Amino acid sequence: AQSVSQHNHHVILSEAASLELGCNYSYGGTVNLFWYVQYPGQHLQLLLKYFSGDPLVKGIKGFEAEFIKSKFSFNLRKPSVQWSDTAEYFCAVNAGGTSYGKLTFGQGTILTVHP
Amino acid sequence: EPEVTQTPSHQVTQMGQEVILRCVPISNHLYFYWYRQILGQKVEFLVSFYNNEISEKSEIFDDQFSVERPDGSNFTLKIRSTKLEDSAMYFCASSRRDTRAGELFFGEGSRLTVL
């Protein structure tokens, strides 16, 4: 069975700092990759996704992620964070051959951005 | 913006009691899902539902759990006889289609506390 690991439980940054959140997965076959974000008091929402093609994908609010197949990684980046980026971020994987809605989540990374 | 709504937001119940968690998916969506997150743990897939039947379920989704779409709008998760370990946040999600473009939309969750 596939698993997803996020390296950091809690990241604290100042505004304008650069962000990189690590995500690694274990699954040898075709995968679809996602980052979800949950702002305080809100629902999980999709930040970006990768299915195929260009391994560098861009999402909403200036976020991007890079799929490195050889490293089984899908790290999330943002060059300059804002206070409004404070949220919990979840990496998720969908294994090929299963329902596209069946996601395996990482444990989440809480991002706190200080103004 | 259409959204997935869940009720109740918080339910406290005694061990052994039956609980029904309700979800109203986005109106033109056809695929429905339940996930749960035990405090401090990962978000876990429970079940996917399409065309009035379960399309996939996890090993967590045992005989104590059932899902139903009793009318054209609601999607419910029933736990027949709750256990302490069922205490968790339960998330409903829906998508328009089960394809790569079928983004999951999540509700805000129902927190279940079993005493």
Side-chain angles (χ1 to χ4, degrees):
Chain A
Q2 63 269 26
S3 66
V4 179
S5 176
Q6 293 181 236
H7 309 310
N8 309 98
H9 176 63
H10 194 180
V11 172
I12 302 172
L13 296 173
S14 297
E15 272 194 319
S18 64
L19 170 72
E20 181 160 2
L21 302 182
C23 172
N24 285 91
Y25 65 92
S26 63
Y27 184 71
T30 303
V31 291
N32 302 308
L33 300 159
F34 306 82
W35 277 96
Y36 279 83
V37 60
Q38 187 173 28
Y39 298 103
Q42 295 188 27
H43 55 275
L44 281 162
Q45 54 188 283
L46 183 65
L47 204 52
L48 48 76
K49 60 189 176 187
Y50 172 81
F51 293 132
S52 63
D54 187 345
L56 184 64
V57 291
K58 295 190 185 298
I60 60 172
K61 304 185 180 185
F63 285 91
E64 63 179 34
E66 184 176 13
F67 170 51
I68 303 180
K69 189 175 181 180
S70 61
K71 295 184 178 180
F72 297 89
S73 70
F74 188 56
N75 292 354
L76 181 71
R77 300 195 293 247
K78 186 171 184 179
S80 176
V81 295
Q82 302 172 310
W83 174 79
S84 57
D85 294 324
T86 294
E88 189 162 14
Y89 293 80
F90 296 89
C91 181
V93 169
N94 165 252
T98 64
S99 160
Y100 284 105
K102 182 181 178 184
L103 302 179
T104 300
F105 283 86
Q107 59 267 51
T109 298
I110 298 168
L111 171 66
T112 301
V113 180
H114 291 304
Chain B
E1 179 182 309
E3 57 182 31
V4 175
T5 57
Q6 291 185 239
T7 53
S9 56
H10 189 191
Q11 182 159 355
V12 181
T13 190
Q14 295 291 323
M15 193 168 54
Q17 294 297 303
E18 176 183 282
V19 161
I20 297 176
L21 304 178
R22 291 182 169 79
C23 169
V24 179
I26 294 172
S27 63
N28 64 347
H29 285 190
L30 301 176
Y31 296 84
F32 313 109
Y33 311 88
W34 284 101
Y35 284 78
R36 79 171 185 189
Q37 184 179 27
I38 296 171
L39 189 63
Q41 298 187 25
K42 297 182 179 183
V43 177
E44 304 171 287
F45 169 81
L46 289 179
V47 66
S48 60
F49 189 86
Y50 168 70
N51 200 26
N52 278 320
E53 58 183 29
I54 291 172
S55 47
E56 196 161 0
K57 61 182 182 179
S58 72
E59 56 193 30
I60 302 168
F61 195 88
D62 62 21
D63 292 345
Q64 290 299 312
F65 292 90
S66 63
V67 289
E68 192 177 37
R69 189 154 161 82
D71 53 41
S73 59
N74 289 284
F75 178 53
T76 61
L77 174 69
K78 181 193 289 185
I79 308 174
R80 288 192 182 82
S81 177
T82 50
K83 306 171 199 167
L84 295 176
E85 55 265 35
D86 293 328
S87 293
M89 181 73 90
Y90 289 82
F91 295 103
C92 174
S94 69
S95 67
R96 196 158 61 90
R97 49 194 170 176
D98 189 36
T99 68
R100 289 180 164 188
E103 175 184 341
L104 287 189
F105 290 80
F106 285 86
E108 292 189 5
S110 292
R111 181 172 298 284
L112 175 65
T113 302
V114 182
L115 303 176

